[in-house]
Amino acid sequence: MSQLLPTELIRTLDKNGQEIKTVGFERFGFDSEVPIDLLRSLYLRPHFVVSAADTKDVEEAPPTRGVNAYQSKSIYFPDTHSISYTTLSRFPPVKLLSPHARKRVLVTGGAGFVGSHLVDRLMLLGHDVTVLDNFFTGSKTTVNHWVGHPNFELVRHDVVEPFMIECDQIYHLACPASPPHYQIDAVKTLKTSFMGTLNMLGLAKRTKARFLITSTSEVYGDPEVHPQNEEYWGHVNPIGPRACYDEGKRVAETLTYGFKNQDGVEVRVARIFNTYGPRMNPSDGRVVSNFIVQALRGEDITVYGDGTQTRSFQYIHDLIDGLIALMNSDESRPVNIGNGDEFTIGEFAELVREIVEKVQEEDGMTRSPRVEIVYRPIPTDDPKRRRPDTTRAKETLKWQPRWSVRMGLEEMVRYYKAKMAEGSI
């Protein structure tokens, strides 16, 4: 098997060419800064690839070293395609906060892609975190490195049903977010958006907790205004195949402001634009994961449409920075959280192919012949342009993306490559 580039040789630079050593910041009286190497250790976790014939022949799969004291020692046996799970040898160090500073935080959908990264950050910061998830799209493996920690609790629960707990902050993320998942049961998606939000807002009202809902750029539909700012009402097909998600999030926002105006609940609304990063489900139909996995497997990269439709992509760590800043700020209006760097889908496919080839070359692999980019018919109601106007986030949250698309993609390629090496994909 090919050698992987050691982490110490991988430097991540932000858009200004400065090396990224930490993520987060201290703002609005809330410190969210943690070392990037410690955070990476939670999703670039070393598993060991061994041969069933010779268990002494071990090869470290992912590119994270130097934090092995906090890692799972799970072993993958490629000959039998089986895995032996273990618990962590030691939990990662978390900040020791005073009872006054430590918050009780509820994260719905906390075992999903975005939720698990938010949970990692909140745990490392020393807060008490409870995760609610029904595991429809989420997975226990994204947060199992915290199971057993005294600050952490994982509860299998569907937010469509009421839930009682005492808490200070509620991050309401629960809802399938990719078309294949939210379209498979449109009625359940709508129930999750409305009933789930109603239940969590009721909880916030009772406990006087601050409530943040992760809305979406899909509330703008196929926009006629470009870029989209928060004052734009949107252009949505209410009966199309995407309507269960688009309109579900729109009514969830309406419900949120109903509780704010009628009952005085402290609310925050984050409209999230396209986000990518480690722990994305490789089979959820999203463009970034599709392109990377196809290229790593040597398959042709499939572009739906002629490739001229545009998207903007933000890296997961930038999103988590934005969510935490919004939760702890005084901004109660909707806020776009996204990256303003716009790519055509065709350009993005070429960039993914280039980065995959770069990583494979650095790791001693060659791919022949070169993967091709092929075009297929575009799905119904797929937006032609999508780019956020993040002026409000910059002015009120002092937030803007730090990760370039190229640097984020390289880390994500290494994540998927490691997962393939250990048999997870």
Side-chain angles (χ1 to χ4, degrees), residues 25 35 48 55 59 68 73 122 133 163 188 250 292 311 334:
F25 35 66
F48 293 85
T55 56
E59 179 180 354
N68 286 348
K73 298 301 185 291
L122 293 171
D133 208 297
F163 184 76
K188 180 60 187 294
R250 285 163 70 96
I292 292 176
R311 294 292 185 273

Side-chain angles (χ1 to χ4, degrees), residues 183-234:
Q183 290 174 354
I184 197 171
D185 190 341
V187 174
K188 180 60 187 294
T189 299
L190 282 164
K191 286 177 66 178
T192 301
S193 292
F194 184 80
M195 293 301 299
T197 304
L198 178 66
N199 288 329
M200 291 303 108
L201 281 164
L203 177 62
K205 176 183 174 182
R206 183 183 67 81
T207 61
K208 294 181 171 52
R210 182 172 291 183
F211 175 88
L212 182 148
I213 183 172
T214 53
S215 188
T216 170
S217 59
E218 295 292 341
V219 300
Y220 300 123
D222 189 359
E224 298 173 316
V225 172
H226 195 76
Q228 297 84 52
N229 63 34
E230 292 88 349
E231 303 303 319
Y232 178 52
W233 290 358

Side-chain angles (χ1 to χ4, degrees), residues 150-283:
N151 292 1
F152 180 78
E153 185 174 5
L154 176 62
V155 181
R156 180 189 290 269
H157 183 83
D158 193 324
V159 292
V160 170
E161 303 297 333
F163 184 76
M164 297 299 173
I165 195 174
E166 299 302 318
C167 56
D168 303 307
Q169 294 182 343
I170 301 172
Y171 287 88
H172 181 41
L173 282 66
C175 188
S178 68
H181 292 146
Y182 66 65
Q183 290 174 354
I184 197 171
D185 190 341
V187 174
K188 180 60 187 294
T189 299
L190 282 164
K191 286 177 66 178
T192 301
S193 292
F194 184 80
M195 293 301 299
T197 304
L198 178 66
N199 288 329
M200 291 303 108
L201 281 164
L203 177 62
K205 176 183 174 182
R206 183 183 67 81
T207 61
K208 294 181 171 52
R210 182 172 291 183
F211 175 88
L212 182 148
I213 183 172
T214 53
S215 188
T216 170
S217 59
E218 295 292 341
V219 300
Y220 300 123
D222 189 359
E224 298 173 316
V225 172
H226 195 76
Q228 297 84 52
N229 63 34
E230 292 88 349
E231 303 303 319
Y232 178 52
W233 290 358
H235 179 231
V236 177
N237 178 357
I239 58 173
R242 304 169 75 100
C244 60
Y245 183 64
D246 301 1
E247 298 289 23
K249 287 293 188 179
R250 285 163 70 96
V251 75
E253 286 193 18
T254 303
L255 194 59
T256 298
Y257 284 106
F259 270 76
K260 172 184 181 294
N261 298 328
Q262 183 173 317
D263 299 304
V265 176
E266 283 193 85
V267 302
R268 305 290 183 264
V269 175
R271 290 177 179 165
I272 300 174
F273 282 69
N274 284 24
T275 304
Y276 68 100
R279 296 189 186 137
M280 286 186 76
N281 187 330
S283 59

Side-chain angles (χ1 to χ4, degrees), residues 53-352:
D54 183 5
T55 56
K56 295 181 180 179
D57 181 22
V58 297
E59 179 180 354
E60 197 169 309
T64 298
R65 299 182 176 89
V67 288
N68 286 348
Y70 317 121
Q71 301 310 304
S72 165
K73 298 301 185 291
S74 302
I75 300 174
Y76 170 61
F77 299 87
D79 293 355
T80 59
H81 193 58
S82 59
I83 188 165
S84 172
Y85 287 106
T86 68
T87 58
L88 289 175
S89 56
R90 181 181 293 273
F91 289 109
V94 302
K95 288 186 179 180
L96 190 60
L97 300 178
S98 67
H100 175 74
R102 187 169 63 246
K103 295 188 180 298
R104 300 166 300 175
V105 185
L106 176 65
V107 183
T108 72
F113 161 48
V114 174
S116 63
H117 284 279
L118 176 62
V119 167
D120 283 347
R121 187 80 66 88
L122 293 171
M123 285 294 298
L124 291 174
L125 293 171
H127 299 285
D128 289 336
V129 179
T130 300
V131 168
L132 288 192
D133 208 297
N134 68 352
F135 305 115
F136 174 59
T137 57
S139 171
K140 290 180 182 178
T141 59
T142 63
V143 292
N144 66 353
H145 48 278
W146 293 117
V147 172
H149 194 286
N151 292 1
F152 180 78
E153 185 174 5
L154 176 62
V155 181
R156 180 189 290 269
H157 183 83
D158 193 324
V159 292
V160 170
E161 303 297 333
F163 184 76
M164 297 299 173
I165 195 174
E166 299 302 318
C167 56
D168 303 307
Q169 294 182 343
I170 301 172
Y171 287 88
H172 181 41
L173 282 66
C175 188
S178 68
H181 292 146
Y182 66 65
Q183 290 174 354
I184 197 171
D185 190 341
V187 174
K188 180 60 187 294
T189 299
L190 282 164
K191 286 177 66 178
T192 301
S193 292
F194 184 80
M195 293 301 299
T197 304
L198 178 66
N199 288 329
M200 291 303 108
L201 281 164
L203 177 62
K205 176 183 174 182
R206 183 183 67 81
T207 61
K208 294 181 171 52
R210 182 172 291 183
F211 175 88
L212 182 148
I213 183 172
T214 53
S215 188
T216 170
S217 59
E218 295 292 341
V219 300
Y220 300 123
D222 189 359
E224 298 173 316
V225 172
H226 195 76
Q228 297 84 52
N229 63 34
E230 292 88 349
E231 303 303 319
Y232 178 52
W233 290 358
H235 179 231
V236 177
N237 178 357
I239 58 173
R242 304 169 75 100
C244 60
Y245 183 64
D246 301 1
E247 298 289 23
K249 287 293 188 179
R250 285 163 70 96
V251 75
E253 286 193 18
T254 303
L255 194 59
T256 298
Y257 284 106
F259 270 76
K260 172 184 181 294
N261 298 328
Q262 183 173 317
D263 299 304
V265 176
E266 283 193 85
V267 302
R268 305 290 183 264
V269 175
R271 290 177 179 165
I272 300 174
F273 282 69
N274 284 24
T275 304
Y276 68 100
R279 296 189 186 137
M280 286 186 76
N281 187 330
S283 59
D284 70 0
R286 301 190 195 215
V287 62
V288 182
S289 52
N290 278 359
F291 286 179
I292 292 176
V293 171
Q294 286 176 331
L296 284 172
R297 288 174 173 167
E299 302 170 356
D300 291 341
I301 296 176
T302 305
V303 173
Y304 292 96
D306 59 8
T308 59
Q309 66 270 38
T310 68
R311 294 292 185 273
S312 58
F313 299 94
Q314 72 175 333
Y315 196 55
I316 183 63
H317 295 323
D318 283 329
L319 171 59
I320 300 305
D321 287 348
L323 292 179
I324 293 177
L326 177 58
M327 171 63 91
N328 294 284
S329 74
D330 294 325
E331 180 58 76
S332 61
R333 298 172 297 175
V335 177
N336 289 339
I337 301 181
N339 192 330
D341 295 343
E342 190 174 17
F343 291 83
T344 69
I345 296 299
E347 291 171 341
F348 191 72
E350 293 176 358
L351 179 61
V352 169

